[in-house]
Amino acid sequence: MTYISGFVTPVPTANRAAYIELCQKVGVLLKEYGALTMTEAWGVKLPDGKVTDFRRAVQATEDETVAFSWIVWPDRATADASEAKMMEDPRMHDLGMPFDGKRMIFGGFEPIYELEA
């Protein structure tokens, strides 16, 4: 069964181009590690919630945009092995992050329902 790594990240809006460049570089490495797909999405419609919302979840400031990302893996074992490879790969450490990684939220998910058009 596939496995999904999901991320919500506050990115300074002025750093959009640098973020896209980072995603392209990381995507190449993730494919090497066994990822099936990687999707990066830039927030354009993020309504304020009554209790919480995407912006509050990552403490995004007015000059930041929330990016929503996911990586599809063939299975959890591949995702877990990839995580270990990322920590050891110097290419990952030399990329530079155009955002505050401390406010990124992330997790792993097992699909329970999928509808294809």
Side-chain angles (χ1 to χ4, degrees):
M1 171 180 276
T2 58
Y3 184 80
I4 299 168
S5 300
F7 308 84
V8 179
T9 309
V11 181
T13 304
N15 290 354
R16 181 180 179 181
Y19 183 75
I20 292 169
E21 185 178 326
L22 170 69
C23 295
Q24 292 167 336
K25 290 176 182 177
V26 170
V28 170
L29 298 176
L30 292 175
K31 282 290 216 183
E32 279 184 31
Y33 301 154
L36 300 175
T37 65
M38 174 183 160
T39 302
E40 296 286 338
W42 195 252
V44 295
K45 183 179 179 183
L46 303 174
D48 292 338
K50 293 190 189 273
V51 177
T52 193
D53 52 51
F54 277 99
R55 296 188 62 77
R56 280 190 266 185
V58 293
Q59 300 173 350
T61 63
E62 287 298 316
D63 64 335
E64 293 177 319
T65 300
V66 177
F68 176 53
S69 317
W70 62 95
I71 304 163
V72 179
W73 302 96
D75 49 49
R76 183 175 177 181
T78 303
D80 289 347
S82 171
E83 203 172 299
K85 290 175 187 174
M86 281 186 245
M87 294 299 160
E88 297 172 6
D89 192 334
R91 297 174 297 172
M92 289 294 288
H93 299 286
D94 295 338
L95 292 172
M97 300 296 171
F99 59 87
D100 180 1
K102 293 178 196 145
R103 291 184 288 133
M104 174 195 296
I105 58 174
F106 56 90
F109 302 84
E110 292 180 351
I112 58 171
Y113 174 79
E114 186 173 35
L115 174 66
E116 293 188 29

